[in-house]
Amino acid sequence: MHRILVRYGYVPFMLVGVNGAAIALAASGASELWLAGLLPAAIGCSFAAERALPYEADWNSPAGDGTRDVAHAAVNELLLLVSVGVIPLLAATVTVADLWPRSWPFALQVLAAILIADLGITLTHYASHKIGVLWRFHAVHHSIKRFYGFNGLMKHPLHQTLEMSAGVAPLILIGLPVDVASALAVTVAVQLLLQHSNADYRIGALKYVLALNEGHRFHHLKWAGIGDVNFGLFTLTWDHLLGTFSYDPTRRFTSDQLGMAAKPDYPTAYLAQLAEPFRTSGACASDPPAQEKRPSSRR
């Protein structure tokens, strides 16, 4: 019974339940500490779902990366919370025009913020696979060898800052309220947990619209070019428009297909990963093997 609940109920619980709680708390003017408290709760739910119904059982076991992943998550979630705290200062100095639809229902305002942020984050993500200096920092995220929820929070802090800035800057320019920003920060964390989840959940036809784990696994294939698909954070809308959407229901993923083929010995320790983009060895690119084909978009 619990497996069925996870398979069909986990995603609605996180998207509607946890995000809904964040929206309700932000709308009520609750302290940011209450919102921050939702993050460990969401992480706990992520781990529980992955153990109840794993896609790949081995991905639930640390492979010398547990402490590192905790460090990445702690730093990056702190950055998210700090970014929310500086929004009032930024809004007071860089807002071009107060065009924010404050008369809309609060939940609708958050949804609008999600959709606008999704564009900036997706395009930055796309650029990070095309521009060498950006790839150096993004490569930290692609060094993973197992695919589980915490991986979504494993990013170089400079790249995390860049992505979030690209997503939030347009919002600030049009007068993003801090309470909407607070709810948005929680939805980003929840989305990253879901997108990289090892839980074998199902969302039906929504996998062609929402950027969740069934599609995002293709993005982590280790061969350059082949993994340049499904860049969206919240939705796959922009991937469909960019021609980068890909999905093959017959493909099964293992650790051997993850990581970076051109850099199998990428540093695994936290501090070493922070330093790697600044080293000569931080550059990383290779052509996909001839026998590999880009995953098809067949439905």
Side-chain angles (χ1 to χ4, degrees):
M1 184 62 171
H2 68 279
R3 292 170 64 87
I4 294 176
L5 287 175
V6 171
R7 176 157 285 157
Y8 300 106
Y10 174 54
V11 172
F13 171 77
M14 293 287 273
L15 291 182
V16 179
V18 178
N19 286 346
I23 290 170
L25 286 169
S28 69
S31 166
E32 289 179 7
L33 292 177
W34 284 102
L35 284 162
L38 288 175
L39 298 179
I43 292 169
C45 290
S46 175
F47 276 107
E50 290 170 337
R51 277 148 184 77
L53 186 66
Y55 173 86
E56 182 66 54
D58 289 345
W59 290 349
N60 283 337
S61 300
D65 53 8
T67 301
R68 176 204 69 193
D69 289 356
V70 169
H72 274 295
V75 170
N76 290 329
E77 287 311 300
L78 179 60
L79 282 175
L80 265 180
L81 296 174
V82 169
S83 69
V84 171
V86 301
I87 280 177
L89 175 62
L90 292 173
T93 56
V94 302
T95 296
V96 173
D98 191 1
L99 302 176
W100 191 258
R102 299 173 191 273
S103 62
W104 290 8
F106 189 79
L108 194 57
Q109 292 184 49
V110 175
L111 178 59
I114 286 172
L115 295 177
I116 294 171
D118 190 44
L119 173 58
I121 293 171
T122 299
L123 292 180
T124 303
H125 191 180
Y126 178 83
S128 297
H129 281 243
K130 306 298 181 183
I131 301 173
V133 66
L134 296 182
W135 171 252
R136 285 173 171 266
F137 293 92
H138 187 47
V140 170
H141 180 65
H142 278 271
S143 67
I144 62 173
K145 296 293 183 67
R146 61 188 182 111
F147 196 87
Y148 76 120
F150 231 28
N151 288 152
L153 308 175
M154 185 197 142
K155 299 184 178 186
H156 195 286
L158 291 180
H159 194 267
Q160 160 94 349
T161 301
L162 176 65
E163 278 193 333
M164 287 307 299
S165 296
V168 175
L171 296 168
I172 294 175
L173 291 175
I174 60 173
L176 175 70
V178 69
D179 51 359
V180 176
S182 298
L184 176 63
V186 174
T187 65
V188 168
V190 168
Q191 187 69 18
L192 289 170
L193 289 169
L194 285 173
Q195 190 176 65
H196 296 80
S197 178
N198 185 34
D200 194 18
Y201 59 69
R202 296 288 187 274
I203 57 171
L206 286 175
K207 62 177 167 282
Y208 299 108
V209 180
L210 301 180
L212 295 174
N213 67 359
E214 287 185 83
H216 198 66
R217 293 187 188 110
F218 291 91
H219 182 74
H220 279 271
L221 288 168
K222 66 182 182 181
W223 300 283
I226 293 175
D228 293 343
V229 297
N230 302 348
F231 292 97
L233 174 59
F234 287 101
T235 78
L236 295 167
T237 302
W238 304 109
D239 286 289
H240 286 291
L241 293 174
L242 291 167
T244 56
F245 172 76
S246 188
Y247 182 72
D248 179 356
T250 66
R251 183 131 199 178
R252 179 79 188 177
F253 295 84
T254 65
S255 290
D256 290 338
Q257 300 171 341
L258 305 181
M260 291 181 287
K263 194 73 173 180
D265 58 346
Y266 197 86
T268 57
Y270 179 69
L271 292 179
Q273 288 193 338
L274 295 190
E276 186 65 12
F278 301 98
R279 303 179 187 276
T280 303
S281 57
C284 179
S286 78
D287 296 324
Q291 69 270 23
E292 273 291 330
K293 296 181 179 179
R294 175 170 164 163
S296 69
S297 298
R298 61 181 169 177
R299 302 170 194 269

